[in-house]
Amino acid sequence: MEKILIDAFEKLQKREHLLKVIREQRGLGRITQEEFKKQEAQILDRYRLTLGEERAYDLYLRMKGKRSSK
């Protein structure tokens, strides 16, 4: 379970980093809106969580929520 959760975190981190990079490129006018949408779709598809990773991440969030509410 921990290995799956670590994989999920790594994918989420990479995805957010790459999305941030292309948002900055779009904001600076280095890429067109069309190119932005194309790259965004590729990033989201490449770093999509598997069902097991989604379950592990959801369980982590629920456990984290229970701890912080105490």
Side-chain angles (χ1 to χ4, degrees), residues 11-64:
K11 279 185 180 180
L12 291 171
Q13 286 177 333
K14 288 177 185 177
R15 180 175 72 186
E16 288 308 311
H17 171 72
L18 292 172
L19 289 173
K20 180 181 175 186
V21 169
I22 65 168
R23 284 185 200 116
E24 289 175 358
Q25 289 178 348
R26 177 65 188 124
L28 295 171
R30 295 184 179 157
I31 60 174
T32 64
Q33 183 66 24
E34 182 179 300
E35 183 64 23
F36 171 80
K37 291 291 183 186
K38 179 181 163 189
Q39 288 184 21
E40 181 184 42
Q42 289 173 345
I43 292 167
L44 292 174
D45 187 50
R46 182 174 181 188
Y47 294 101
R48 178 170 285 126
L49 297 180
T50 64
L51 184 57
E53 290 167 341
E54 282 185 36
R55 287 179 180 165
Y57 186 67
D58 288 342
L59 179 60
Y60 166 78
L61 291 177
R62 278 188 266 144
M63 296 299 286
K64 182 180 174 187

